[in-house]
Amino acid sequence: MYCFFAKQMASLPTQPEGAPEQQGAPPPAVSPEVTSARELSFREIHDAYFGFVWRYAANRGVPAMAIDDVVKEVFVVVHNRLESFEGRSSLRTWLAGIAYNVVRGYVRKPGNRPAGDYLDEEQDLLAHGVSPAEALDRKRALETLDQLLDKMSDVQREVFILCEIEQLSSVEIAEALGINENTVRTRLLAARKLFNAGVARQQASKKWWRP
């Protein structure tokens, strides 16, 4: 069941501001498996991983009106630390760790989740050519996902997002978050149980109230 919500989150349109191509176009074909930042310029890294960082910020609860600023902050850190990257982990893992720290700092500040975000997201989907019915389905899925993520601990939430939505391995997640693999596995198992239980309750509630 969480795969459905993961697809909804992964299908969100990337923010056009700062993106290298026209709105809705995929980033340049730079392999995400390059392990050494020295093989890529900062611009190539930005273009290849902009969508990854943008989705992570959106999935982690950063409001639509603030995602641009948060993503820019992530890439400022990337630019400043690029020379010190030693290639001991994959580039994506390194970026995930930076995004994790920047986004965590943002969402922990009081008042950084204003009302009306979901309305903005629905309007954004409509602007990208999604039908009203599909936009409503996605809006509801995002609201449900957000409610379920709120019931998880910080570590459970981070592990769930990076594994189920961004498809990072347990090794990559452990490196990005600075925890061991056993902790990743146990937190992911707990997060999946919370998620599945929450979805089951919502489905049961819909059946109960169905006329």
Side-chain angles (χ1 to χ4, degrees), residues 25-100:
V30 179
S31 172
E33 302 303 324
V34 176
T35 57
S36 175
R38 295 184 180 86
E39 298 178 30
L40 297 171
S41 68
F42 170 75
R43 173 53 61 182
E44 289 172 323
I45 293 172
H46 174 276
D47 292 352
Y49 291 95
F50 180 90
F52 169 76
V53 175
W54 195 95
R55 278 196 317 276
Y56 177 78
N59 294 343
R60 190 58 180 81
V62 176
M65 63 183 296
I67 292 180
D68 269 350
D69 290 337
V70 171
V71 171
K72 287 175 183 176
E73 184 177 349
V74 170
F75 282 106
V76 166
V77 176
V78 170
H79 183 272
N80 292 339
R81 296 183 182 177
L82 192 55
E83 290 299 321
S84 63
F85 177 69
E86 298 178 350
R88 295 180 181 178
S89 63
S90 71
L91 185 55
R92 185 173 67 157
T93 301
W94 182 68
L95 282 164
I98 293 174
Y100 164 70

Side-chain angles (χ1 to χ4, degrees), residues 135-189:
L136 181 60
D137 286 341
R138 292 192 189 184
K139 174 177 177 288
R140 289 172 175 170
L142 295 176
E143 290 173 339
T144 299
L145 179 61
D146 195 54
Q147 292 169 4
L148 296 175
L149 290 176
D150 281 344
K151 297 181 181 298
M152 301 178 188
S153 69
D154 287 344
V155 177
Q156 288 172 348
R157 186 184 305 112
E158 297 293 346
V159 169
F160 186 87
I161 291 172
L162 291 175
C163 177
E164 301 299 345
I165 298 175
E166 294 302 338
Q167 300 295 299
L168 269 66
S169 69
S170 59
V171 175
E172 290 176 315
I173 296 171
E175 291 178 356
L177 303 185
I179 57 180
N180 61 58
E181 287 185 60
N182 287 334
T183 300
V184 171
R185 295 190 185 99
T186 56
R187 297 301 186 274
L188 179 59
L189 178 61

